[in-house]
Amino acid sequence: MRVLLVEDEAVLRSQLRQLLEQAGYAVDEAADGQAALHLGTTEPYDAVVLDLGLPVLDGLTVLQRWRSQGRAMPVLILTARDSWHEKVSGIDAGADDYLAKPFHAEELLARLRALVRRAHGLASPLLQHGDVTLDTRTGTVTQNGLTVNLTAHEYRLLAYLMHRVGQVVSRAELVEHLYAQDFDRDSNTVEVFVARLRRKLGATLIETIRGMGYRLAPTP
């Protein structure tokens, strides 16, 4: 899962990036509204964390322009605690949720997980496919009740596919959503991670659809 983090305060932005990366997200960041507008317009994101008080372009303007362009990624806005009008304006502009500063890290992660789930029509934080369960709250994967240790990239790939059960996902799409913008991307690494997941979770879990990409194999 790939997230855009938009926050002008450098220390907070660094802390949030570390938090999101530890939770398994690939993170791009922007420190002003103009950079955020460009990234959100040109790059595919599974979610955006957007501060409203930004230099160059304010967050509300950025959000309005994204929505006018048809950009539908879930957006969690950050507002000042007492600025109820910012919350109303943000939601009216197309935000999916808001969080008042200061906030607890776990609440931000929980709201972000919920936005990503809802974007794919999922209600439970437990994603189940056959005998494999992925707990989005803890970042753990189990098979028949036994914990399976995955690397960050393996987990990210599996989570992306489990949010899209029944869909064929191309290698290009996986590359776009598994890695941050500044990562040295190589589509061949997707094949490596798929092979590793097959070794750890079973050879039949992920199907290769020739000429199209990958999908989770249908369960009996």
Side-chain angles (χ1 to χ4, degrees), residues 47-67:
V48 177
V49 178
L50 176 66
D51 185 29
L52 293 186
L54 298 171
V56 188
L57 279 179
D58 66 90
L60 191 62
T61 298
V62 172
L63 178 57
Q64 289 170 332
R65 292 189 185 179
W66 281 339
R67 295 313 192 215

Side-chain angles (χ1 to χ4, degrees), residues 132-209:
V132 176
T133 302
L134 186 150
D135 190 333
T136 61
R137 297 166 300 186
T138 60
T140 57
V141 175
T142 58
Q143 187 171 39
N144 293 318
L146 300 176
T147 300
V148 180
N149 293 319
L150 301 181
T151 66
H153 283 98
E154 291 165 0
Y155 174 85
R156 203 175 292 159
L157 191 153
L158 180 63
Y160 195 81
L161 292 176
M162 291 191 76
H163 277 85
R164 292 159 178 78
V165 173
Q167 300 178 32
V168 178
V169 182
S170 69
R171 288 181 177 85
E173 182 178 345
L174 286 170
V175 169
E176 288 179 334
H177 288 266
L178 293 180
Y179 305 117
Q181 188 183 40
D182 57 2
F183 194 88
D184 184 15
R185 301 175 180 182
D186 181 353
S187 62
N188 292 329
T189 59
V190 169
E191 297 178 358
V192 173
F193 295 135
V194 168
R196 290 180 182 175
L197 286 172
R198 285 169 173 161
R199 284 198 298 271
K200 293 181 178 182
L201 296 169
T204 61
L205 176 68
I206 301 174
E207 288 185 326
T208 299
I209 309 301

